[in-house]
Amino acid sequence: MGKGARRKGPGKAGKRKVRDVFVARPFEGLAAEPELIALREFVPSATASLPLKDAGDRTVTLASVLPVAAAAMVRGESGEILIGMQVQTRSSDISRDLGRALRWALEAEPGQVLSVPDTTSEPQPGERLQDLIDPSAELDVELHSDFNWWLADGVQATGEVAMSLERANAAIMPTERVRPGAYWTLAGDKAHLRWVWPTDENRLLQAMARLSAAGELSLGEGSRYAGSFRAHGLLVPVWDLDPEAHAREWSEPAEQLGARLEAALKSLDDEPLNAAERRARDGLIGRQLTLR
């Protein structure tokens, strides 16, 4: 990955400025939406095979982050394509950014790196991730305890990649996948569960308020509902957890909470919130943040 093999993205000569229309929910319509958001926002080191509609015999891997936060790269030894989720720049539509990075990688030579995504070209049909992958496919996410998977077997890191690898390994926090879209993280002396729910925000808040009013929004002893944040059009509830408990100890409580939330969501069709539940909803709204 020498400097000569890097690409800064398509040239800007002759291109006109295109109005950027913000897409609030860029991964809508994809079964993998919760995992894509988690990989983009808070999972430190993870990879997943990308289920393309038509990639021929190419292996395409989606990664939480690549060396020096690159948008895409093609391994020189195997020709494997890697697409990075956590990048330094973005347009108003992350799905389009990823689609363009994937198109670039499918045509790139082994050893080439796309440092930043193309965020300025005029949108073209078939560029979004929804156009390129199987919309019904889930992501089989593999978590890693470090970033050594950046390097192919037998390859030593040098230069920018070596420095990036050292920094990334030093900053990584232990993370485990508890449920689809739900990740346990140990952050120093605190532990959290962040859970991306592929449900309309207002309905999810109502369902959570119903559980909160009934005292059923926690994950049991050693847990506390902390609040939520918005990320790419979905609400991500967060629980504080006992840091002494192992991640696997929260698997069954999370499954039970998920079942309660599903039941509460269904009940909204026939039973509107009562006064206590509406007060609980107002309290939940007061503990929200927004991430783009």
Side-chain angles (χ1 to χ4, degrees), residues 11 66 76 83 113 123 127 156 158 163 170 187 237 244 276:
L66 293 176
I83 306 296
V113 177
E127 283 186 329
Q156 295 295 319
T158 59
M163 290 188 292
E244 299 298 324

Side-chain angles (χ1 to χ4, degrees), residues 82-127:
L82 293 119
I83 306 296
M85 290 292 292
Q86 298 172 27
V87 295
Q88 296 173 339
T89 59
R90 55 159 291 174
S91 74
S92 62
D93 184 359
I94 297 175
S95 178
R96 190 176 67 224
D97 296 346
L98 289 167
R100 287 175 174 173
L102 178 56
R103 288 291 190 196
W104 174 91
L106 288 169
E107 299 175 1
E109 297 295 328
Q112 288 189 315
V113 177
L114 182 67
S115 297
V116 296
D118 174 12
T119 61
T120 60
S121 297
E122 186 171 1
Q124 299 296 324
E127 283 186 329

Side-chain angles (χ1 to χ4, degrees), residues 144-218:
H144 305 278
S145 60
D146 54 35
F147 288 94
N148 293 335
W149 54 268
W150 280 355
L151 305 174
D153 292 341
V155 175
Q156 295 295 319
T158 59
E160 283 183 291
V161 174
M163 290 188 292
S164 182
L165 181 61
E166 183 179 357
R167 288 194 299 267
N169 282 340
I172 196 170
M173 293 185 293
T175 301
E176 299 287 344
R177 186 173 182 263
V178 176
R179 301 277 297 163
Y183 288 83
W184 169 93
T185 300
L186 184 63
D189 59 352
K190 297 182 179 180
H192 312 284
L193 181 75
R194 288 171 282 197
W195 197 338
V196 186
W197 269 79
T199 303
D200 174 77
E201 178 183 337
N202 290 330
R203 283 184 62 83
L204 180 59
L205 275 171
Q206 291 181 62
M208 290 170 60
R210 177 150 290 168
L211 295 186
S212 180
E216 298 180 341
L217 190 56
S218 81

Side-chain angles (χ1 to χ4, degrees), residues 72-85:
M73 58 182 285
V74 182
R75 289 198 191 277
E77 304 79 9
S78 62
E80 178 189 6
I81 292 171
L82 293 119
I83 306 296
M85 290 292 292

